[in-house]
Amino acid sequence: MQTTELGRTGRQVSQLALGAMQMGNATGESDSVRILDRYLEVGGSFIDTADCYEWWAREGSRGGESEELLGRWMRDGTKRDQIFLATKGSALPRYSPDLWAADGTPNWDLARRTFAGAGAKTLRDALDGSLRRLGTDHIDLYYIHVDDKATPLEETLEALAGFVEAGKVRYLGWSNVYTWRLERIRGLCARNGWPLPVAIQQQHSYLRRRAGLDTASIVDTEQLDYLRDNDDQTLVAYSPIVKGVYDSAAKRADHWMMANYAGPDADARIAAVTEIAAEVGVTPNQLVLAWLLHQTAPRVIPLIGPRTPEQFEDVVPALDVKLTEDQLTRLDEAGA
């Protein structure tokens, strides 16, 4: 697996990141360990989790299961030294029995209204909890998971700078954020001498979000333009294959995530992916990951989240796909 520089830090990380969100819940301990070990075996180093993963998996959970599993895995040998470890704070909702319906399903509307947020004390407590569960003395990359517009940015950025100064965090990141907020963060960091977030984790794939959709989470053309002009921040792309919809017309018809993309533009891009995947001899999902790995303006680190070892193995061939200039041009120009 190739590596890429994170922002302009000089720090090299694997070009494909591994998300551990489901580990410890939907993905049991033995399968999680198989995926993690195999990721290291193919040259991976960049592992991503969050303190809130996965509170919604079972009634009464306060999250932390993914971090705890990673902590157990890292205690075996020298694994901590082999990985670049990312986690996040700010997205764990305040506890309430109303977070789960009678049938145990999560109440996402309430959760989104009661996220912990990015206040200084909240982040200090969240970071210390993450360090304890992970069994480490530092986090390589610490994200604000959900941008918190109710807390002054100065308070959040000063707290994050303190984490870096104390040696608890090496680098900073931000997730689920509008471009105008990134500009404001950049200005405040420059004026106050605070460390700039070097990773921006957003939902990003080959499909483009549908016209008129207002969301802080999915990259749009303005954000791509911002990131091209500011290569000291690297785009980490979560849900890069949109839950695997490229391989399955049935999944595209039924999956709730397609509401963010559906329309003539998506249809045209699905057709292009399907055609070129057949030429290359890979699946459409693998082709999309390969396309993301070929991006240079801005650079993209796809963040995969396989639930099973088999799903991880389905991803591996994408690392070796070489696309021609003609194929890249046809993919880039496809659309309504």
Side-chain angles (χ1 to χ4, degrees):
M1 190 183 304
Q2 294 184 8
T3 63
T4 188
E5 184 181 8
L6 188 68
R8 289 199 222 112
T9 64
R11 179 62 189 260
Q12 292 286 316
V13 297
S14 56
Q15 200 177 14
L16 187 71
L18 176 65
M21 183 178 75
Q22 300 182 89
M23 294 182 183
N25 280 299
T27 306
E29 187 102 9
S30 60
D31 277 353
S32 296
V33 168
R34 284 178 61 194
I35 293 168
L36 290 161
D37 287 347
R38 179 70 172 127
Y39 177 64
L40 290 187
E41 184 180 307
V42 300
S45 64
F46 189 172
I47 297 178
D48 177 277
T49 186
D51 66 343
C52 66
Y53 293 159
E54 292 184 301
W55 70 263
W56 57 90
R58 58 182 175 83
E59 189 170 352
S61 170
R62 297 305 292 147
E65 295 94 343
S66 171
E67 290 183 331
E68 290 171 350
L69 186 145
L70 287 173
R72 292 191 295 273
W73 175 73
M74 288 188 296
R75 283 196 290 274
D76 179 16
T78 61
K79 293 189 175 73
R80 178 65 185 96
D81 296 334
Q82 299 178 58
I83 67 168
F84 184 85
L85 179 63
T87 193
K88 317 178 193 74
S90 78
L92 182 66
R94 291 194 301 273
Y95 176 77
S96 166
D98 295 331
L99 280 172
W100 297 270
D103 63 357
T105 55
N107 182 342
W108 282 105
D109 179 64
L110 177 60
R112 292 186 179 98
R113 288 187 280 110
T114 58
F115 282 152
K121 183 181 186 308
T122 299
L123 290 176
R124 283 194 296 271
D125 292 345
L127 175 60
D128 286 345
S130 289
L131 290 168
R132 183 180 64 254
R133 286 185 292 272
L134 289 161
T136 186
D137 63 356
H138 73 280
I139 304 299
D140 295 305
L141 175 62
Y142 192 71
Y143 288 98
I144 298 300
H145 197 165
V146 176
D147 189 37
D148 173 17
K149 289 189 279 186
T151 299
L153 274 172
E154 292 86 347
E155 177 181 345
T156 301
L157 289 165
E158 186 172 25
L160 293 173
F163 298 164
V164 175
E165 185 176 0
K168 292 183 176 182
V169 169
R170 298 289 187 264
Y171 304 105
L172 302 172
W174 222 276
S175 187
N176 300 299
V177 58
Y178 286 111
T179 305
W180 68 267
R181 292 277 286 178
L182 294 176
E183 291 279 14
R184 188 166 295 178
I185 290 165
R186 178 176 291 278
L188 286 169
C189 288
R191 285 195 294 275
N192 292 282
W194 292 327
L196 181 74
V198 297
I200 307 301
Q201 187 175 135
Q202 300 283 89
Q203 187 173 325
H204 181 58
S205 186
Y206 175 67
L207 293 181
R208 297 182 284 218
R209 75 185 203 182
R210 62 175 172 79
L213 180 67
D214 181 16
T215 175
S217 298
I218 304 177
V219 172
D220 61 6
T221 54
E222 179 184 51
Q223 198 155 84
L224 287 174
D225 188 55
Y226 167 85
L227 290 165
R228 288 186 193 102
D229 287 346
N230 295 283
D231 67 354
D232 52 359
Q233 296 180 313
T234 297
L235 175 58
V236 179
Y238 73 83
S239 296
I241 55 173
V242 196
K243 305 300 184 183
V245 299
Y246 296 97
D247 280 359
S248 170
K251 187 173 284 189
R252 290 195 294 275
D254 295 337
H255 204 285
W256 63 268
M257 284 187 73
M258 277 303 296
N260 296 321
Y261 301 99
D265 188 70
D267 294 342
R269 286 174 85 81
I270 288 288
V273 162
T274 303
E275 177 183 332
I276 295 172
E279 291 177 10
V280 177
V282 296
T283 68
N285 284 337
Q286 291 165 349
L287 184 80
V288 167
L289 285 172
W291 177 81
L292 288 166
L293 291 168
H294 278 72
Q295 299 307 297
T296 57
R299 287 175 293 128
V300 179
I301 298 176
L303 172 62
I304 59 168
R307 183 177 54 81
T308 66
E310 292 75 22
Q311 287 180 352
F312 178 79
E313 293 301 333
D314 285 344
V315 164
V316 172
L319 296 170
D320 296 323
V321 173
K322 303 300 181 188
L323 299 174
T324 66
E325 288 301 319
D326 173 69
Q327 289 165 338
L328 287 168
T329 297
R330 287 156 59 198
L331 286 167
D332 290 343
E333 293 181 351

